[in-house]
Amino acid sequence: MEVVRIEVYNPFPAGNTNVYVVNGELMIDVGVNDERVIERLKAVNPDVVVITHPHVDHFGAAYLFENVLAHEETCKKMFDCEKEYFRLASIHFVHEGMPKSLAAEMRERAEKRYSKFAKPCRSCKKIPEKVKAGGEKFEVLHLPGHSYGHIALYRDGHLFSGDVLLDGITPNPVIEPIDEEERHPVLKQYLGTIKILHSMNVVRVYPGHRDFRKGVREVLREYLKNFERRSYEIFNVCEGKNAFEIALSIFGMDQLFLAMSEVIAHLDFLSEKGIIEKRGGVYRKNADRMELEELWREIREEITGGG
């Protein structure tokens, strides 16, 4: 298997996006729509482009290619550059206590910024269970959590992970509305993804950003520790507050979209587990700290087997 990595410009905090060309035929992710990116990709003429997930730093320039494959939810978001997604997310944020004016301002700002770095991709098709490149077949894995439509490609211990597995960054469990009322349980889904990855024999990771130097299971256990730590933070301050108030108390106004996403992901998870409940628009504790610690011990045991 021949893999060429092309690092391309990314205006967002994760750092440059990694674009991979496999066996000269398959391109994985494309980066934002920016002249600096397009110039780097000019020499590549792939038979097929695979998009790992619908975030602009991975799909922004996908419109330039004719044969684009992704999860069907990713295709929908690429079609309108996530405009419907941001509309639904802003509604969920209001349901969780964010002032309507701030939610509208955040949505407008996100759409405006996205319009600079992406164009609608109308050529995207639902990815099959396997894709080929140079006579080699790659298994397509659905790994939700960072995004519901997140996929990875796997062959013989080699994993093209997108953003679901990064070294030195714990990816956010980003909010995923289904409609104006319901949303995916993204932290629960991410824990399921961690369990799958922990069980696999991955010998090399090709991440969406940066390099990947640590062992896969070591990184996954770091994710678990970070999710557990955030869970305690949110539990400690949640009593009598809504999600917006909790986000402000932990993060302030910094990167509020991701802050709200992360807080809501944990609140949904803790509510499902019976640790807290939402009453009258605010959250109340149904358990004490020891019960929460026991929940995370059980989660670690289930995923890692105690290792």
Side-chain angles (χ1 to χ4, degrees), residues 45-69:
N45 186 28
D47 294 337
V48 62
V49 172
V50 169
I51 302 298
T52 59
H53 63 292
H55 293 164
V56 69
D57 52 330
H58 294 263
F59 81 80
Y63 73 96
L64 295 168
F65 301 91
E66 293 183 2
N67 189 14
V68 179
L69 301 176

PDB file of all heavy atoms in Angstrom, residues 45-69:
ATOM      1  N   ASN A  45      -5.072  13.508  -9.233  1.00  0.00           N
ATOM      2  CA  ASN A  45      -6.256  13.208 -10.045  1.00  0.00           C
ATOM      3  C   ASN A  45      -6.832  11.865  -9.592  1.00  0.00           C
ATOM      4  O   ASN A  45      -6.695  10.847 -10.279  1.00  0.00           O
ATOM      5  CB  ASN A  45      -5.886  13.167 -11.533  1.00  0.00           C
ATOM      6  CG  ASN A  45      -7.097  12.995 -12.405  1.00  0.00           C
ATOM      7  OD1 ASN A  45      -8.210  13.389 -12.045  1.00  0.00           O
ATOM      8  ND2 ASN A  45      -6.905  12.383 -13.571  1.00  0.00           N
ATOM      9  N   PRO A  46      -7.506  11.832  -8.444  1.00  0.00           N
ATOM     10  CA  PRO A  46      -7.962  10.558  -7.891  1.00  0.00           C
ATOM     11  C   PRO A  46      -9.174  10.008  -8.634  1.00  0.00           C
ATOM     12  O   PRO A  46      -9.980  10.759  -9.204  1.00  0.00           O
ATOM     13  CB  PRO A  46      -8.339  10.934  -6.454  1.00  0.00           C
ATOM     14  CG  PRO A  46      -8.774  12.362  -6.554  1.00  0.00           C
ATOM     15  CD  PRO A  46      -7.870  12.972  -7.591  1.00  0.00           C
ATOM     16  N   ASP A  47      -9.305   8.676  -8.603  1.00  0.00           N
ATOM     17  CA  ASP A  47     -10.509   8.048  -9.150  1.00  0.00           C
ATOM     18  C   ASP A  47     -11.711   8.288  -8.236  1.00  0.00           C
ATOM     19  O   ASP A  47     -12.844   8.375  -8.706  1.00  0.00           O
ATOM     20  CB  ASP A  47     -10.295   6.541  -9.313  1.00  0.00           C
ATOM     21  CG  ASP A  47      -9.243   6.217 -10.360  1.00  0.00           C
ATOM     22  OD1 ASP A  47      -9.001   7.067 -11.242  1.00  0.00           O
ATOM     23  OD2 ASP A  47      -8.665   5.109 -10.305  1.00  0.00           O
ATOM     24  N   VAL A  48     -11.438   8.349  -6.946  1.00  0.00           N
ATOM     25  CA  VAL A  48     -12.514   8.527  -5.971  1.00  0.00           C
ATOM     26  C   VAL A  48     -11.990   9.327  -4.780  1.00  0.00           C
ATOM     27  O   VAL A  48     -10.817   9.221  -4.412  1.00  0.00           O
ATOM     28  CB  VAL A  48     -13.075   7.162  -5.508  1.00  0.00           C
ATOM     29  CG1 VAL A  48     -12.007   6.326  -4.814  1.00  0.00           C
ATOM     30  CG2 VAL A  48     -14.284   7.338  -4.599  1.00  0.00           C
ATOM     31  N   VAL A  49     -12.866  10.141  -4.216  1.00  0.00           N
ATOM     32  CA  VAL A  49     -12.570  10.901  -3.004  1.00  0.00           C
ATOM     33  C   VAL A  49     -13.495  10.416  -1.902  1.00  0.00           C
ATOM     34  O   VAL A  49     -14.718  10.321  -2.103  1.00  0.00           O
ATOM     35  CB  VAL A  49     -12.773  12.419  -3.222  1.00  0.00           C
ATOM     36  CG1 VAL A  49     -12.658  13.175  -1.898  1.00  0.00           C
ATOM     37  CG2 VAL A  49     -11.773  12.947  -4.234  1.00  0.00           C
ATOM     38  N   VAL A  50     -12.934  10.096  -0.736  1.00  0.00           N
ATOM     39  CA  VAL A  50     -13.724   9.703   0.427  1.00  0.00           C
ATOM     40  C   VAL A  50     -13.615  10.809   1.475  1.00  0.00           C
ATOM     41  O   VAL A  50     -12.511  11.245   1.813  1.00  0.00           O
ATOM     42  CB  VAL A  50     -13.237   8.353   1.014  1.00  0.00           C
ATOM     43  CG1 VAL A  50     -13.877   8.095   2.382  1.00  0.00           C
ATOM     44  CG2 VAL A  50     -13.560   7.215   0.063  1.00  0.00           C
ATOM     45  N   ILE A  51     -14.750  11.241   1.982  1.00  0.00           N
ATOM     46  CA  ILE A  51     -14.797  12.253   3.036  1.00  0.00           C
ATOM     47  C   ILE A  51     -15.125  11.542   4.349  1.00  0.00           C
ATOM     48  O   ILE A  51     -16.147  10.863   4.458  1.00  0.00           O
ATOM     49  CB  ILE A  51     -15.846  13.334   2.737  1.00  0.00           C
ATOM     50  CG1 ILE A  51     -15.548  14.017   1.394  1.00  0.00           C
ATOM     51  CG2 ILE A  51     -15.903  14.351   3.871  1.00  0.00           C
ATOM     52  CD1 ILE A  51     -14.219  14.734   1.328  1.00  0.00           C
ATOM     53  N   THR A  52     -14.264  11.726   5.353  1.00  0.00           N
ATOM     54  CA  THR A  52     -14.456  10.995   6.606  1.00  0.00           C
ATOM     55  C   THR A  52     -15.614  11.538   7.427  1.00  0.00           C
ATOM     56  O   THR A  52     -16.292  10.767   8.118  1.00  0.00           O
ATOM     57  CB  THR A  52     -13.181  11.019   7.474  1.00  0.00           C
ATOM     58  OG1 THR A  52     -12.821  12.385   7.761  1.00  0.00           O
ATOM     59  CG2 THR A  52     -12.038  10.301   6.789  1.00  0.00           C
ATOM     60  N   HIS A  53     -15.847  12.863   7.377  1.00  0.00           N
ATOM     61  CA  HIS A  53     -16.937  13.425   8.176  1.00  0.00           C
ATOM     62  C   HIS A  53     -17.235  14.841   7.707  1.00  0.00           C
ATOM     63  O   HIS A  53     -16.401  15.482   7.055  1.00  0.00           O
ATOM     64  CB  HIS A  53     -16.619  13.383   9.677  1.00  0.00           C
ATOM     65  CG  HIS A  53     -15.436  14.198  10.091  1.00  0.00           C
ATOM     66  ND1 HIS A  53     -14.132  13.889   9.743  1.00  0.00           N
ATOM     67  CD2 HIS A  53     -15.345  15.328  10.850  1.00  0.00           C
ATOM     68  CE1 HIS A  53     -13.308  14.767  10.273  1.00  0.00           C
ATOM     69  NE2 HIS A  53     -14.007  15.659  10.932  1.00  0.00           N
ATOM     70  N   PRO A  54     -18.419  15.359   8.042  1.00  0.00           N
ATOM     71  CA  PRO A  54     -18.883  16.611   7.439  1.00  0.00           C
ATOM     72  C   PRO A  54     -18.474  17.854   8.210  1.00  0.00           C
ATOM     73  O   PRO A  54     -19.309  18.680   8.603  1.00  0.00           O
ATOM     74  CB  PRO A  54     -20.405  16.438   7.465  1.00  0.00           C
ATOM     75  CG  PRO A  54     -20.649  15.656   8.718  1.00  0.00           C
ATOM     76  CD  PRO A  54     -19.494  14.693   8.808  1.00  0.00           C
ATOM     77  N   HIS A  55     -17.192  18.034   8.442  1.00  0.00           N
ATOM     78  CA  HIS A  55     -16.677  19.284   8.985  1.00  0.00           C
ATOM     79  C   HIS A  55     -15.858  19.961   7.896  1.00  0.00           C
ATOM     80  O   HIS A  55     -15.126  19.308   7.155  1.00  0.00           O
ATOM     81  CB  HIS A  55     -15.858  19.034  10.248  1.00  0.00           C
ATOM     82  CG  HIS A  55     -16.682  18.525  11.395  1.00  0.00           C
ATOM     83  ND1 HIS A  55     -16.136  17.942  12.511  1.00  0.00           N
ATOM     84  CD2 HIS A  55     -18.036  18.510  11.572  1.00  0.00           C
ATOM     85  CE1 HIS A  55     -17.113  17.588  13.343  1.00  0.00           C
ATOM     86  NE2 HIS A  55     -18.265  17.916  12.791  1.00  0.00           N
ATOM     87  N   VAL A  56     -15.973  21.278   7.834  1.00  0.00           N
ATOM     88  CA  VAL A  56     -15.502  22.013   6.668  1.00  0.00           C
ATOM     89  C   VAL A  56     -14.009  21.831   6.408  1.00  0.00           C
ATOM     90  O   VAL A  56     -13.567  21.887   5.251  1.00  0.00           O
ATOM     91  CB  VAL A  56     -15.864  23.507   6.815  1.00  0.00           C
ATOM     92  CG1 VAL A  56     -15.058  24.159   7.921  1.00  0.00           C
ATOM     93  CG2 VAL A  56     -15.687  24.253   5.507  1.00  0.00           C
ATOM     94  N   ASP A  57     -13.232  21.595   7.450  1.00  0.00           N
ATOM     95  CA  ASP A  57     -11.790  21.417   7.241  1.00  0.00           C
ATOM     96  C   ASP A  57     -11.466  20.079   6.592  1.00  0.00           C
ATOM     97  O   ASP A  57     -10.312  19.806   6.265  1.00  0.00           O
ATOM     98  CB  ASP A  57     -11.008  21.585   8.550  1.00  0.00           C
ATOM     99  CG  ASP A  57     -11.520  20.727   9.682  1.00  0.00           C
ATOM    100  OD1 ASP A  57     -12.728  20.429   9.730  1.00  0.00           O
ATOM    101  OD2 ASP A  57     -10.707  20.357  10.556  1.00  0.00           O
ATOM    102  N   HIS A  58     -12.494  19.259   6.355  1.00  0.00           N
ATOM    103  CA  HIS A  58     -12.297  17.978   5.665  1.00  0.00           C
ATOM    104  C   HIS A  58     -13.041  17.913   4.330  1.00  0.00           C
ATOM    105  O   HIS A  58     -12.619  17.171   3.449  1.00  0.00           O
ATOM    106  CB  HIS A  58     -12.732  16.823   6.575  1.00  0.00           C
ATOM    107  CG  HIS A  58     -11.869  16.691   7.785  1.00  0.00           C
ATOM    108  ND1 HIS A  58     -10.822  15.802   7.867  1.00  0.00           N
ATOM    109  CD2 HIS A  58     -11.848  17.381   8.951  1.00  0.00           C
ATOM    110  CE1 HIS A  58     -10.206  15.938   9.031  1.00  0.00           C
ATOM    111  NE2 HIS A  58     -10.819  16.903   9.709  1.00  0.00           N
ATOM    112  N   PHE A  59     -14.133  18.677   4.173  1.00  0.00           N
ATOM    113  CA  PHE A  59     -14.902  18.559   2.931  1.00  0.00           C
ATOM    114  C   PHE A  59     -14.997  19.843   2.120  1.00  0.00           C
ATOM    115  O   PHE A  59     -15.568  19.837   1.023  1.00  0.00           O
ATOM    116  CB  PHE A  59     -16.321  18.053   3.227  1.00  0.00           C
ATOM    117  CG  PHE A  59     -17.290  19.104   3.707  1.00  0.00           C
ATOM    118  CD1 PHE A  59     -17.928  19.973   2.825  1.00  0.00           C
ATOM    119  CD2 PHE A  59     -17.590  19.231   5.057  1.00  0.00           C
ATOM    120  CE1 PHE A  59     -18.822  20.942   3.272  1.00  0.00           C
ATOM    121  CE2 PHE A  59     -18.478  20.190   5.507  1.00  0.00           C
ATOM    122  CZ  PHE A  59     -19.098  21.052   4.609  1.00  0.00           C
ATOM    123  N   GLY A  60     -14.449  20.960   2.580  1.00  0.00           N
ATOM    124  CA  GLY A  60     -14.717  22.250   1.963  1.00  0.00           C
ATOM    125  C   GLY A  60     -14.466  22.329   0.475  1.00  0.00           C
ATOM    126  O   GLY A  60     -15.191  23.007  -0.263  1.00  0.00           O
ATOM    127  N   ALA A  61     -13.438  21.604  -0.011  1.00  0.00           N
ATOM    128  CA  ALA A  61     -13.092  21.643  -1.442  1.00  0.00           C
ATOM    129  C   ALA A  61     -13.590  20.425  -2.211  1.00  0.00           C
ATOM    130  O   ALA A  61     -13.208  20.218  -3.363  1.00  0.00           O
ATOM    131  CB  ALA A  61     -11.570  21.771  -1.599  1.00  0.00           C
ATOM    132  N   ALA A  62     -14.477  19.632  -1.603  1.00  0.00           N
ATOM    133  CA  ALA A  62     -14.927  18.393  -2.249  1.00  0.00           C
ATOM    134  C   ALA A  62     -15.698  18.650  -3.537  1.00  0.00           C
ATOM    135  O   ALA A  62     -15.745  17.788  -4.427  1.00  0.00           O
ATOM    136  CB  ALA A  62     -15.793  17.588  -1.273  1.00  0.00           C
ATOM    137  N   TYR A  63     -16.310  19.835  -3.661  1.00  0.00           N
ATOM    138  CA  TYR A  63     -17.085  20.163  -4.858  1.00  0.00           C
ATOM    139  C   TYR A  63     -16.239  20.110  -6.125  1.00  0.00           C
ATOM    140  O   TYR A  63     -16.774  20.026  -7.246  1.00  0.00           O
ATOM    141  CB  TYR A  63     -17.713  21.549  -4.712  1.00  0.00           C
ATOM    142  CG  TYR A  63     -16.726  22.681  -4.826  1.00  0.00           C
ATOM    143  CD1 TYR A  63     -16.533  23.340  -6.035  1.00  0.00           C
ATOM    144  CD2 TYR A  63     -15.940  23.062  -3.741  1.00  0.00           C
ATOM    145  CE1 TYR A  63     -15.598  24.364  -6.151  1.00  0.00           C
ATOM    146  CE2 TYR A  63     -15.017  24.084  -3.845  1.00  0.00           C
ATOM    147  CZ  TYR A  63     -14.842  24.729  -5.048  1.00  0.00           C
ATOM    148  OH  TYR A  63     -13.907  25.733  -5.159  1.00  0.00           O
ATOM    149  N   LEU A  64     -14.927  20.160  -5.985  1.00  0.00           N
ATOM    150  CA  LEU A  64     -14.035  20.156  -7.143  1.00  0.00           C
ATOM    151  C   LEU A  64     -13.929  18.783  -7.793  1.00  0.00           C
ATOM    152  O   LEU A  64     -13.412  18.668  -8.914  1.00  0.00           O
ATOM    153  CB  LEU A  64     -12.638  20.619  -6.723  1.00  0.00           C
ATOM    154  CG  LEU A  64     -12.519  22.074  -6.247  1.00  0.00           C
ATOM    155  CD1 LEU A  64     -11.163  22.306  -5.596  1.00  0.00           C
ATOM    156  CD2 LEU A  64     -12.750  23.035  -7.402  1.00  0.00           C
ATOM    157  N   PHE A  65     -14.422  17.745  -7.116  1.00  0.00           N
ATOM    158  CA  PHE A  65     -14.230  16.373  -7.595  1.00  0.00           C
ATOM    159  C   PHE A  65     -15.570  15.732  -7.967  1.00  0.00           C
ATOM    160  O   PHE A  65     -16.598  16.021  -7.355  1.00  0.00           O
ATOM    161  CB  PHE A  65     -13.529  15.543  -6.521  1.00  0.00           C
ATOM    162  CG  PHE A  65     -12.177  16.097  -6.138  1.00  0.00           C
ATOM    163  CD1 PHE A  65     -12.053  17.012  -5.097  1.00  0.00           C
ATOM    164  CD2 PHE A  65     -11.040  15.736  -6.842  1.00  0.00           C
ATOM    165  CE1 PHE A  65     -10.816  17.541  -4.757  1.00  0.00           C
ATOM    166  CE2 PHE A  65      -9.802  16.265  -6.516  1.00  0.00           C
ATOM    167  CZ  PHE A  65      -9.693  17.173  -5.473  1.00  0.00           C
ATOM    168  N   GLU A  66     -15.523  14.860  -8.959  1.00  0.00           N
ATOM    169  CA  GLU A  66     -16.758  14.286  -9.510  1.00  0.00           C
ATOM    170  C   GLU A  66     -17.233  13.052  -8.753  1.00  0.00           C
ATOM    171  O   GLU A  66     -18.438  12.824  -8.642  1.00  0.00           O
ATOM    172  CB  GLU A  66     -16.562  13.935 -10.994  1.00  0.00           C
ATOM    173  CG  GLU A  66     -16.358  15.148 -11.885  1.00  0.00           C
ATOM    174  CD  GLU A  66     -16.245  14.757 -13.345  1.00  0.00           C
ATOM    175  OE1 GLU A  66     -16.365  13.557 -13.651  1.00  0.00           O
ATOM    176  OE2 GLU A  66     -16.040  15.667 -14.177  1.00  0.00           O
ATOM    177  N   ASN A  67     -16.322  12.249  -8.259  1.00  0.00           N
ATOM    178  CA  ASN A  67     -16.698  10.985  -7.620  1.00  0.00           C
ATOM    179  C   ASN A  67     -16.365  11.065  -6.134  1.00  0.00           C
ATOM    180  O   ASN A  67     -15.243  10.789  -5.724  1.00  0.00           O
ATOM    181  CB  ASN A  67     -15.966   9.823  -8.285  1.00  0.00           C
ATOM    182  CG  ASN A  67     -16.478   8.471  -7.801  1.00  0.00           C
ATOM    183  OD1 ASN A  67     -17.540   8.380  -7.180  1.00  0.00           O
ATOM    184  ND2 ASN A  67     -15.727   7.423  -8.083  1.00  0.00           N
ATOM    185  N   VAL A  68     -17.345  11.478  -5.332  1.00  0.00           N
ATOM    186  CA  VAL A  68     -17.151  11.692  -3.900  1.00  0.00           C
ATOM    187  C   VAL A  68     -18.036  10.726  -3.131  1.00  0.00           C
ATOM    188  O   VAL A  68     -19.233  10.604  -3.422  1.00  0.00           O
ATOM    189  CB  VAL A  68     -17.482  13.149  -3.498  1.00  0.00           C
ATOM    190  CG1 VAL A  68     -17.292  13.350  -1.996  1.00  0.00           C
ATOM    191  CG2 VAL A  68     -16.621  14.122  -4.290  1.00  0.00           C
ATOM    192  N   LEU A  69     -17.454  10.050  -2.155  1.00  0.00           N
ATOM    193  CA  LEU A  69     -18.187   9.083  -1.338  1.00  0.00           C
ATOM    194  C   LEU A  69     -18.102   9.476   0.129  1.00  0.00           C
ATOM    195  O   LEU A  69     -17.065   9.948   0.606  1.00  0.00           O
ATOM    196  CB  LEU A  69     -17.608   7.675  -1.512  1.00  0.00           C
ATOM    197  CG  LEU A  69     -17.601   7.090  -2.923  1.00  0.00           C
ATOM    198  CD1 LEU A  69     -16.888   5.730  -2.919  1.00  0.00           C
ATOM    199  CD2 LEU A  69     -19.019   6.943  -3.464  1.00  0.00           C
TER     200      LEU A  69
END
